[in-house]
Each structure stands twice: as structure tokens, then as C-alpha cells.
Amino acid sequence: MINLEVFRLELNYLKQVVGKELGNKDARKLSEAITALVTCFLSPATYYSLSFPYIEAVEQYLSQIQQKIELHEYKLLLNNISTIITFIEKVKTEVPKCC
């Protein structure tokens, strides 16, 4: 089970990194994508149809960050958002079951 307080802290950290590297507008969009993904995850009726675009958005922002920062900094980022990464992976494995 995911600890929501840890999830919230990791999301704030990720938003700070994205805001610093890509700008505040992108940080808000990333936060909205993750929030929508959590909402979709909790609502099975919209789970399948809405999850993929949000997953792609989150992965796109992580890819953009990876290109902008040093490798060791990116690895540190990934270590500090492990709950978010676990959640994304969980959603990826669950979505096909909903088809």
C-alpha cells in the first residue's frame, strides 16, 4: 500500500525539480497529470480510457528531466520519487486487466 503522505512529499519534490528545470507551467501540468492518474486509479469506470495519456505525460516529463540534468542527479531524483514510480508501474500493470 502507498503511504499518501510520502506520495505527497515526493510529488512536491518532483514538482520542484520540474519547475526548476522546465518551468512552473510544466510543473503544474505534471502535478495535474499525476493527480488525474490517482483519480482514474480510484475510479474504475474511467481507469482504462484515461490512464494512458496521464502515464505518457508523466513519463515524458521524466524523460525531459533526464535530458536536462546530470545522470547522478537523475538517479537521485528517481530514488527520491520511488513511491510515484511504484504507483505508475502499478497502474501500467493494472490497466490491461480492465480491458
Side-chain angles (χ1 to χ4, degrees):
M1 184 180 304
I2 293 176
N3 182 327
L4 292 178
E5 181 65 20
V6 172
F7 192 87
R8 184 184 66 81
L9 291 171
E10 288 182 10
L11 179 56
N12 286 335
Y13 172 69
L14 181 57
K15 282 174 44 180
Q16 283 184 328
V17 172
V18 171
K20 177 183 172 197
E21 297 299 328
L22 303 176
N24 290 329
K25 184 178 178 182
D26 287 323
R28 281 190 305 275
K29 287 182 180 181
L30 172 68
S31 180
E32 290 169 6
I34 292 176
T35 301
L37 193 55
V38 170
T39 302
C40 289
F41 183 76
L42 296 174
S43 176
T46 60
Y47 194 35
Y48 177 70
S49 62
L50 297 177
S51 295
F52 282 120
Y54 296 127
I55 292 170
E56 290 173 350
V58 172
E59 289 178 339
Q60 179 183 3
Y61 282 116
L62 289 175
S63 176
Q64 289 176 354
I65 290 296
Q66 183 180 17
Q67 295 171 7
K68 287 213 160 235
I69 63 177
E70 299 290 328
L71 180 60
H72 71 280
E73 291 174 344
Y74 184 71
K75 287 181 180 181
L76 179 63
L77 170 69
L78 293 181
N79 286 337
N80 287 322
I81 61 166
S82 60
T83 303
I84 293 173
I85 292 171
T86 301
F87 173 70
I88 298 295
E89 294 302 318
K90 175 74 172 170
V91 171
K92 283 182 183 179
T93 61
E94 291 284 325
V95 170
K97 294 178 186 176
C98 297
C99 302

